[in-house]
Amino acid sequence: MKYLIIYAHPNPESFNHAVLGAVEKILKAAGRTYEVRDLNAMKFNPVLDRADFELGSKGKAAGEIEREQRHIKEADVLIFIYPIWWFGMPAIMKGYIDRVFAQDFAFSMDGERLTGLLKGKKAVIINTTGAPRDLLAGMGYEDAMKKTAEIGIFEFCGLEVAVHKYFYAVPDADEVSRRQMLEEIAKIIS
Ligand SMILES: Cc1cc2nc3c(=O)[nH]c(=O)nc-3n(C[C@H](O)[C@H](O)[C@H](O)COP(=O)(O)O)c2cc1C
């Protein structure tokens, strides 16, 4: 079983970075094979441009798209770690999806028939928020995330969303609750 961690946060002092560290520690202790794609550290270009479109329309990919697709192909479980920014994913993560989860790699369309080409792989999504759970629940937040991320992206491409975990109100959490949150990760990743 091979794991691919796709991580987006610019700050190595962030809670998200601590989440990444906790996930890596668990995978290492379990003797799992894994790779980390740290999108900010890689300075991943998130803009799907004309050249990408032209290659994509021929069913081809080059450069970092081709390289990232190779990583995804080799993995059985994709672990996405990112904070919620503006009720969605940071632009660098969205751009990774725009460019790497390309047609005829991540999904195919034959008329109205859609095939998720990443079928057989699992997705684990770990998100953090600034706002508390109750406030977000009142705005229909989890339902919105389910539609835009789980259904609209991951399941669309055939991935089975095994876990979608939220850590809420992270900036207000004290050291003890942060530690408890990090300990919860062991229940998600096995
Ligand atoms: C650009 C930006 C947009 C944000 N949008 C939201 C949001 O829509 N909902 C929310 O609950 N928190 C939002 N936040 C707060 C972050 O989600 C929160 O600070 C982060 O999850 C905490 O984890 P970190 O310490 O690893 O950054 C936003 C933060 C930034 C920088």
Side-chain angles (χ1 to χ4, degrees), residues 9 14-17 83-87 128-131 136 170-171:
H9 201 295
S14 64
F15 183 71
N16 273 265
H17 198 264
I84 294 300
W85 285 2
W86 298 115
F87 257 53
T128 61
T129 75
L136 291 170
V170 163

Side-chain angles (χ1 to χ4, degrees), residues 19-168:
V19 170
L20 171 65
V23 170
E24 283 196 76
K25 201 170 154 192
I26 291 160
L27 294 178
K28 252 184 226 155
R32 308 279 189 203
T33 309
Y34 72 92
E35 297 263 4
V36 180
R37 312 310 292 151
D38 180 341
L39 305 187
N40 290 88
M42 287 157 56
K43 296 195 191 315
F44 184 81
N45 169 17
V47 179
L48 173 63
D49 66 12
R50 187 172 173 179
D52 297 336
F53 258 112
E54 283 172 3
L55 266 185
S57 67
K58 294 177 200 141
K60 288 184 186 162
E64 52 183 2
I65 298 185
E66 188 182 26
R67 184 192 65 209
E68 295 310 311
Q69 289 180 345
R70 212 174 318 119
H71 280 289
I72 289 172
K73 254 187 223 156
E74 287 168 5
D76 303 294
V77 183
L78 308 181
I79 304 178
F80 296 87
I81 304 171
Y82 56 89
I84 294 300
W85 285 2
W86 298 115
F87 257 53
M89 46 183 71
I92 201 164
M93 180 65 85
K94 177 62 168 42
Y96 184 93
I97 307 275
D98 288 348
R99 296 184 70 216
V100 179
F101 282 38
Q103 186 159 356
D104 297 326
F105 168 74
F107 67 94
S108 66
M109 300 279 255
D110 180 7
E112 297 217 331
R113 217 173 76 101
L114 165 79
T115 308
L117 300 177
L118 302 183
K119 206 172 166 51
K121 300 182 193 293
K122 288 187 179 176
V124 172
I125 310 158
I126 306 177
N127 293 149
T128 61
T129 75
R133 184 176 199 164
D134 288 354
L135 179 73
L136 291 170
M139 300 176 188
Y141 164 81
E142 283 194 16
D143 193 39
M145 294 301 110
K146 191 169 177 61
K147 285 179 182 144
T148 54
E150 289 179 34
I151 298 173
I153 299 174
F154 302 111
E155 291 175 6
F156 187 91
C157 296
L159 291 166
E160 177 198 336
V161 178
V163 181
H164 192 166
K165 174 74 184 168
Y166 299 101
F167 291 116
Y168 289 96

